[in-house]
Amino acid sequence: MDLSALAAQNPDHWRRAACIRTLTLDAVGAANSGHSGMPMGMADVATVLFEKHLSFDASAPDWPNRDRFILSAGHGSMLIYSLLHLTGYADMTIDQIRNFRQLGAITAGHPEYGHAKGVETTTGPLGQGIANAVGFAMAEESLRARWGRKLIDHYTYCIAGDGCLMEGISQEAIGLAGRHELSRLIVLWDNNNITIDGAVSLSDRTDQKARFAASGWDVFDCDGHDPADIDRALGEAKASPRPAMIACKTHIAIGSSAQDTAKGHGALTDPKLIADTKAAYGWKYGPFEIPEDLKAEWEAIGSRGRAAREAWEAEFALQSATRQASFTRAFAGDMPPKLSATIKALKKQISETRPKVATRKASEMALEVINPIVPETLGGSADLTGSNNTKTADLGVFSPEDRKGRHIHYGIREHGMAAAMNGMALHGGVRPYGGTFMCFTDYARGAIRLSALMGVSVQYVMTHDSIGLGEDGPTHQPVEHLAMMRATPNCLVFRPADAVETAEAWELALSQKSTPSVLALSRQGLPTVRVDHKTRNMVAQGGYVLADAEGKRQAILMATGSEVAIAMAARDLLQADGIGTRVVSMPCWELFEEQPEAYRKRVLPGGPVRVAVEAAVRFGWDRWLFGERGKREKSGFVGMHGFGGSAPAEDLYAHFGITAEAVADKVKSLLK
Ligand SMILES: Cc1ncc(C[n+]2csc(CCOP(=O)(O)OP(=O)(O)O)c2C)c(N)n1
């Protein structure tokens, strides 16, 4: 490929793009690992985007109305690190670039949210970024409708590779964006025809442009190495009334001997290759060296948006004090102070009326009082709205006709929904929650894990949380999912026992700023077990004594969710036989684990027999059965030992032996 012609046509552009290419070569070379080819190939596109289109101010990375830039092809992380360094983000020093992929550096192997400013989301698991981008664009639409164009009015740009587009999640995202006419979303496809194994044709013959068009997008082409053509395509994409995809024809690892090959995808570390490639670029500077004139040009790009940002700040200052406070509160992720009193009032009412309701219904009852006072919530469901009970009376439905609608019909797209919710939460100003069946946490897993890894407060409303869902049978009955979610670091798993605990769980979940929550909710009606109103949020302690032993304490029953009522019934049986029995409700293990040792000891003292009751697999329960002063020979588990069955719930509980009688018998056998 004749690089000299390219360089000669647009010499200034060429030199600016070469900064990205050579920093990438140097950083990957120094780390002896990483991915050189993608940043080299997309350097021209990224340069034009940052220079001519992206509205941002490197000195104010958190400006709420900035355009968002998402590198879905996260393996090409040196692309974004180079851009952030060159444009003058304060934290992205040349030393950070030198320490690419090293311990303690903000230049992680793949872009990690929260490490470097300007990294809007964690990418690397291919396909997540493009699905996050859809959430960013939905948040922008929603916020623009709510706050007006003067405060929110921006684009979301996303660079995605062949890998992102092959991942199934991409179709969920593309379908969602097309339906919602997210015209502020622009995806730049790095159309280089190469993946790790070789040419794309080894594994795919999809007509990507036709696919996007079929889903309601406008599609554009450009020569990804011609700055004028890139600029034209970006201009057209911005003007399009639908989400836009630009197929950018590029050469991976351009200018190197590995150009257009799978070798070019990975780490180009051979010193001769690096030297030859730099020579082909006409680059005559040392490693990590950016000449002053070029750095100045880039920094001018980094401050191009300063005037717009300052104008925005002036506009913001003109808003009423109430509006400013409420905007700032929402972007800070804080709940309105009213939330606590609202939840207390609901709890009091429930404890007095003692309804027998499914916790999914109880969740709706909580949301009915939460949504009116927390206007930034954006609810939704993956086509199970009536089952997940996520849509409250005041929400309205989000659509191109009603951007103020706050309930989103995600369609049957659990993974896309979860990733979009991550994008919304990361955008800021909105608080997304979304529902599906608990068993389909599997389908959303890739994105739920990233909620936890990034530390974003997304609420997963996972209903139909056990065999208690009944006739739909084992395909729909989660047994291992609680364990999987509990095994995920930085994720709160709530399994409330009744409507009071559900209200408390919602308050806690929404109060988290950097932790997602899974609310595991029952399909079947559950009696109110919290019959004595307590203003204190008991779920906040994770586990607590719901009913204490009368007489000598011989047994402790631990249970969650729908099995708490079974434990209470077992306690009645045992007490009737003179066996003093305590019931501990454990709606959130993670919060219980955080309690001081002295508190945990009060709840779970050594000595008595312990039996855990949960309609799920035992995995994880040993921590509470044998740990915390428990003894193996004095403990037992009543729950599931395999998959469920297709029958009415009551029959299944009897069939699998999850009954008050079975629990009482287990205790008695352990007391012998
Ligand atoms: C979900 C997921 N699966 C696999 C990988 C490993 N991986 C990283 S890059 C890549 C190939 C991506 O090809 P493409 O998007 O065309 O990138 P390019 O070769 O153009 O850099 C793979 C399989 C990953 N990061 N994420």
Side-chain angles (χ1 to χ4, degrees):
M1 179 157 189
D2 185 6
L3 294 190
S4 53
L6 279 181
Q9 277 157 18
N10 300 285
D12 294 340
H13 164 85
W14 179 260
R15 277 163 51 81
R16 284 194 281 277
C19 297
I20 299 173
R21 295 186 165 118
T22 55
L23 282 177
T24 298
L25 282 166
D26 289 337
V28 173
N32 200 25
S33 75
H35 302 80
S36 317
M38 184 272 169
M40 290 161 74
M42 282 298 273
D44 297 301
V45 171
T47 299
V48 175
L49 174 64
F50 273 60
E51 184 178 333
K52 299 232 161 72
H53 295 275
L54 193 77
S55 173
F56 75 110
D57 177 355
S59 71
D62 299 323
W63 171 32
N65 197 34
R66 68 192 180 278
D67 283 349
R68 304 306 199 266
F69 171 66
I70 290 151
L71 183 67
S72 190
H75 57 281
S77 54
M78 269 311 300
L79 180 75
I80 189 165
Y81 298 152
S82 303
L83 289 160
L84 298 177
H85 169 66
L86 291 165
T87 52
Y89 281 74
D91 58 347
M92 192 55 78
T93 60
I94 195 70
D95 279 345
Q96 293 290 350
I97 304 277
R98 284 179 190 276
N99 284 319
F100 179 51
R101 294 184 153 230
Q102 305 309 307
L103 195 65
I106 60 175
T107 43
H110 294 83
E112 300 275 356
Y113 174 70
H115 291 210
K117 289 286 182 187
V119 171
E120 304 279 3
T121 179
T122 294
T123 52
L126 297 171
Q128 293 291 334
I130 185 172
N132 292 159
V134 172
F136 275 91
M138 289 175 109
E140 194 271 342
E141 291 286 357
S142 171
L143 289 165
R144 179 151 36 85
R146 174 156 173 233
W147 295 100
R149 279 173 188 279
K150 288 182 177 166
L151 292 188
I152 295 290
D153 189 9
H154 71 79
Y155 285 90
T156 299
Y157 296 95
C158 170
I159 289 183
D162 300 306
C164 293
L165 299 194
M166 275 195 223
E167 290 291 350
I169 189 174
S170 72
Q171 186 53 43
E172 299 185 25
I174 292 165
L176 197 55
R179 163 63 186 93
H180 286 289
E181 299 173 24
L182 303 176
S183 61
R184 302 304 187 84
L185 173 63
I186 296 175
V187 169
L188 298 142
W189 168 34
D190 179 18
N191 179 14
N192 63 20
N193 195 36
I194 290 292
T195 67
I196 293 179
D197 279 2
V200 168
S201 58
L202 282 174
S203 56
D204 199 35
R205 55 164 37 174
T206 303
D207 180 339
Q208 294 292 358
K209 291 196 291 174
R211 176 164 80 110
F212 276 84
S215 301
W217 290 54
D218 284 332
V219 179
F220 304 88
D221 275 296
C222 76
D223 174 343
H225 300 300
D226 175 345
D229 203 38
I230 297 164
D231 183 35
R232 173 207 45 84
L234 276 164
E236 288 173 13
K238 276 156 79 178
S240 124
R242 310 201 288 179
M245 189 276 262
I246 307 175
C248 309
K249 192 74 207 126
T250 62
H251 295 280
I252 196 166
I254 189 170
S256 75
S257 55
Q259 179 185 312
D260 299 326
T261 69
K263 180 174 182 250
H265 164 94
L268 301 178
T269 54
D270 174 42
K272 181 168 175 344
L273 181 149
I274 295 174
D276 289 350
T277 310
K278 286 187 179 177
Y281 294 157
W283 194 258
K284 37 185 197 304
Y285 313 102
F288 299 102
E289 189 189 340
I290 302 292
E292 271 177 27
D293 60 330
L294 275 172
K295 185 70 167 81
E297 286 175 30
W298 270 109
E299 286 179 6
I301 293 172
S303 58
R304 201 173 42 82
R306 185 164 301 164
R309 193 256 303 168
E310 285 170 357
W312 183 91
E313 279 165 0
E315 184 61 44
F316 187 72
L318 294 177
Q319 307 292 313
S320 72
T322 323
R323 250 168 89 79
Q324 286 190 34
S326 140
F327 186 97
T328 305
R329 181 190 61 69
F331 270 83
D334 292 324
M335 282 293 112
K338 251 193 279 180
L339 179 66
S340 169
T342 305
I343 294 289
K344 283 190 183 101
L346 175 65
K347 280 166 50 175
K348 185 161 188 290
Q349 184 212 322
I350 297 166
S351 291
E352 281 165 10
T353 55
R354 302 177 184 181
K356 183 179 180 199
V357 290
T359 46
R360 63 184 170 127
K361 179 70 188 165
S363 167
E364 182 184 337
M365 289 157 60
L367 288 169
E368 287 287 5
V369 298
I370 290 167
N371 283 333
I373 61 161
V374 189
E376 62 269 27
T377 53
L378 283 183
S381 165
D383 201 47
L384 290 167
T385 301
S387 300
N388 302 145
N389 300 61
T390 44
K391 184 171 179 295
T392 56
D394 62 326
L395 284 191
V397 173
F398 178 83
S399 73
E401 294 73 39
D402 183 10
R403 296 298 196 200
K404 286 191 172 161
R406 286 164 58 201
H407 192 268
I408 297 164
H409 290 292
Y410 285 102
I412 307 93
R413 301 184 178 105
E414 296 80 11
H415 203 182
M417 171 176 76
M421 291 200 293
N422 281 341
M424 292 175 192
L426 289 162
H427 182 285
V430 294
R431 290 298 295 264
Y433 69 84
T436 182
F437 290 153
M438 178 73 183
C439 166
F440 304 137
T441 46
D442 284 342
Y443 274 49
R445 168 78 186 148
I448 297 178
R449 178 171 190 267
L450 287 171
S451 310
L453 176 62
M454 290 191 275
V456 290
S457 183
V458 168
Q459 275 66 57
Y460 293 98
V461 182
M462 298 309 199
T463 70
H464 298 60
D465 69 349
S466 75
I467 53 164
L469 66 86
E471 295 84 343
D472 271 346
T475 57
H476 283 49
Q477 291 160 356
V479 289
E480 74 278 36
H481 300 71
L482 279 168
M484 180 172 71
M485 289 297 125
R486 286 170 178 156
T488 307
N490 192 38
C491 178
L492 296 182
V493 183
F494 293 100
R495 190 162 185 257
D498 70 358
V500 174
E501 281 196 2
T502 306
E504 292 179 340
W506 263 113
E507 181 182 8
L508 292 163
L510 287 170
S511 302
Q512 304 301 316
K513 292 219 266 189
S514 52
T515 303
S517 298
V518 172
L519 287 98
L521 303 170
S522 74
R523 176 196 180 214
Q524 72 276 29
L526 304 179
T528 300
V529 291
R530 286 277 296 283
V531 289
D532 298 321
H533 174 59
K534 288 198 171 58
T535 51
R536 178 150 175 213
N537 187 322
M538 302 300 283
V539 173
Q541 299 165 104
Y544 63 94
V545 178
L546 178 65
D548 213 347
E550 285 163 24
K552 182 170 179 283
R553 185 169 55 225
Q554 298 185 61
I556 298 178
L557 306 179
M558 297 177 278
T560 75
S562 41
E563 286 69 67
V564 172
I566 292 174
M568 291 293 276
R571 176 180 176 275
D572 289 345
L573 296 175
L574 290 163
Q575 289 286 164
D577 286 347
I579 301 170
T581 303
R582 163 182 286 191
V583 172
V584 173
S585 179
M586 294 196 65
C588 183
W589 290 11
E590 297 79 19
L591 291 177
F592 187 60
E593 215 161 334
E594 279 175 15
Q595 300 307 306
E597 161 101 44
Y599 174 77
R600 299 203 313 267
K601 193 172 175 181
R602 275 207 304 282
V603 176
L604 295 178
V609 154
R610 289 186 194 175
V611 172
V613 199
E614 186 168 72
V617 296
R618 177 175 179 148
F619 201 91
W621 272 107
D622 292 359
R623 162 90 172 79
W624 310 115
L625 289 169
F626 313 158
E628 298 289 328
R629 298 156 297 278
K631 288 208 179 71
R632 181 180 295 261
E633 63 282 7
K634 291 180 74 176
S635 66
F637 175 74
V638 173
M640 297 298 290
H641 301 278
F643 294 111
S646 180
E650 277 177 27
D651 296 351
L652 290 174
Y653 272 90
H655 175 75
F656 290 111
I658 308 176
T659 60
E661 293 71 23
V663 174
D665 288 349
K666 178 74 83 184
V667 168
K668 287 177 191 165
S669 72
L670 290 166
L671 283 171
K672 274 186 194 142

